[in-house]
Amino acid sequence: MTVTAENWLEGLVDEIRPALYGGAVSGYLPEFEAARVDDLAIAIDYGADGILTAGQCHSLFTAQSVVKVFTLLLALHHRGEDYVFERVGCDQGIGSYNSLETFIRGSGVPVNPFVNAGALVVVDMLPGSDPDSRVRNVVDFIRALSGNTSIGVNTGVARSEHTLADRNRALGYFLRSHRLISTDVEELLWAYCQMCAIEVDVVDLARAARVLAQARDVVVEGQVLRAAHLRLVRRLMLFAGMYEASGQYACDVGIPAKCGVSGATIGVVYQRMGIGVYGPALDRSGNSVGGLRVLRQLSGTLDFD
Ligand code: DON
């Protein structure tokens, strides 16, 4: 058989699948229980050279923490770098993504925009006169980046998350007591839960990630996304996108990436490709086993630095 790009990627799915059984689907939201440990879908957007897909590439899942990449980019676009990084750090995380320890380190702000405390601060600075319009702006932004106007919020997942959001609620009140957010905590929390519940497929993620791979300013529906902001987001993804596994990941794989608890994963290869993976089996650090494997394999085959 001739090895085409498509069957190379399908082959990669088959090769990785056995490793998925070493992970576990997150059980913290009942909605995740429908996911199978051996689900795996991949999309790679090569820009002008097209998109390659493998696995169930039209299955929908919620972005969860992957949305933090896009909320950060939107906040940078709207407020500028100084404003954002006066309120949130750009340090590697410590502890788990939603722990109180991720909070204050010397500077008195959350360690980075990808731990929950930092992500909540970012939600507080997004454009929009109220939390609902901020959610709409994030949905519109992801629609514009991916070119898919049907993207929306899975409200069932958002509600479910909201009823289980005690840790994030505690973070919200703690942030407010430090005057790091100005929005009402309950409203902010509901906005955050909806943003995490934005539903996408791997092609949406790959397309949006391809925008992040650009070397120059990008015009997305009339808005100029600055190259400096894209670069900043890529750098943060590289050193903080995989929670406590980030340092090891950066050395071993080196592709800026971000995972979410649903198994959503994006990767960005500068000037070359945007990668979207769905692999709900998670490892002990809460990262997608399939997502990490795909990125590791790609990193092995690509010549990049
Ligand atoms: O804040 C939460 O708990 C979730 N909605 C998002 C968490 C998440 O995806 C963490 N990543 N692995």
Side-chain angles (χ1 to χ4, degrees):
M1 186 175 74
T2 322
V3 179
T4 63
E6 279 84 4
N7 59 37
W8 164 71
L9 204 60
E10 287 292 352
L12 190 60
V13 167
D14 293 340
E15 196 182 313
I16 291 173
R17 191 158 271 132
L20 303 177
Y21 297 99
V25 172
S26 170
Y28 100 98
L29 292 184
E31 286 77 5
F32 292 155
E33 281 163 21
R36 291 166 43 126
V37 77
D38 59 353
D39 281 339
L40 185 61
I42 310 174
I44 303 179
D45 185 346
Y46 293 91
D49 291 331
I51 296 193
L52 213 55
T53 59
Q56 301 294 317
C57 61
H58 297 299
S59 297
L60 293 175
F61 49 88
T62 54
Q64 297 299 331
S65 284
V66 168
V67 82
K68 296 168 181 171
V69 168
F70 304 113
T71 53
L72 172 64
L73 181 59
L74 187 57
L76 285 166
H77 175 66
H78 178 64
R79 302 278 196 178
E81 190 180 325
D82 292 346
Y83 183 98
V84 172
F85 289 105
E86 270 161 27
R87 289 160 179 80
V88 64
C90 51
D91 248 324
Q92 273 208 307
I94 37 167
S96 85
Y97 67 92
N98 61 1
S99 77
L100 282 166
E101 340 153 45
T102 61
F103 210 94
I104 289 175
R105 192 198 255 178
S107 60
V109 294
V111 288
N112 67 51
F114 296 155
V115 296
N116 285 9
L120 288 165
V121 171
V122 169
V123 173
D124 189 59
M125 55 177 89
L126 290 174
S129 51
D130 56 67
D132 282 347
S133 59
R134 281 181 220 159
V135 175
R136 274 196 302 278
N137 286 332
V138 173
V139 169
D140 285 347
F141 189 54
I142 296 175
R143 285 179 173 181
L145 293 174
S146 62
N148 179 359
T149 52
S150 65
I151 286 174
V153 173
N154 180 327
T155 30
V157 171
R159 280 203 202 97
S160 182
E161 169 104 45
H162 191 239
T163 59
L164 296 166
D166 287 346
R167 183 71 75 98
N168 287 333
R169 182 170 282 110
L171 286 170
Y173 281 103
F174 198 46
L175 287 163
R176 202 171 151 90
S177 75
H178 284 276
R179 299 186 196 289
L180 287 164
I181 55 170
S182 53
T183 315
D184 173 85
V185 173
E186 294 305 324
E187 288 190 21
L188 187 79
L189 203 60
W190 177 229
Y192 170 78
C193 291
Q194 290 183 81
M195 290 174 196
C196 287
I198 292 173
E199 210 163 41
V200 289
D201 63 25
V202 285
V203 173
D204 300 326
L205 290 184
R207 286 202 166 119
R210 183 68 181 82
V211 176
L212 291 170
Q214 306 279 17
R216 298 182 192 285
D217 292 356
V218 189
V219 182
V220 177
E221 293 195 346
Q223 304 187 68
V224 182
L225 302 178
R226 292 189 39 216
H229 294 159
L230 302 174
R231 185 173 57 220
L232 244 173
V233 172
R234 286 193 301 269
R235 287 181 179 173
L236 265 151
M237 289 169 75
L238 184 60
F239 73 75
M242 296 287 178
Y243 301 111
E244 73 260 34
S246 296
Q248 186 75 49
Y249 171 82
C251 289
D252 288 354
V253 181
I255 297 175
K258 181 87 196 76
C259 280
V261 71
S262 55
T265 307
I266 61 167
V268 180
V269 182
Y270 181 56
Q271 289 190 300
R272 291 168 73 172
M273 59 180 81
I275 303 156
V277 184
Y278 174 59
L282 305 182
D283 65 18
R284 273 183 295 177
S285 305
N287 293 314
S288 163
V289 174
L292 278 173
R293 293 261 171 169
V294 169
L295 294 166
R296 189 182 298 274
Q297 296 274 34
L298 287 173
S299 151
T301 59
L302 291 166
D303 178 27
F304 76 100
D305 217 339

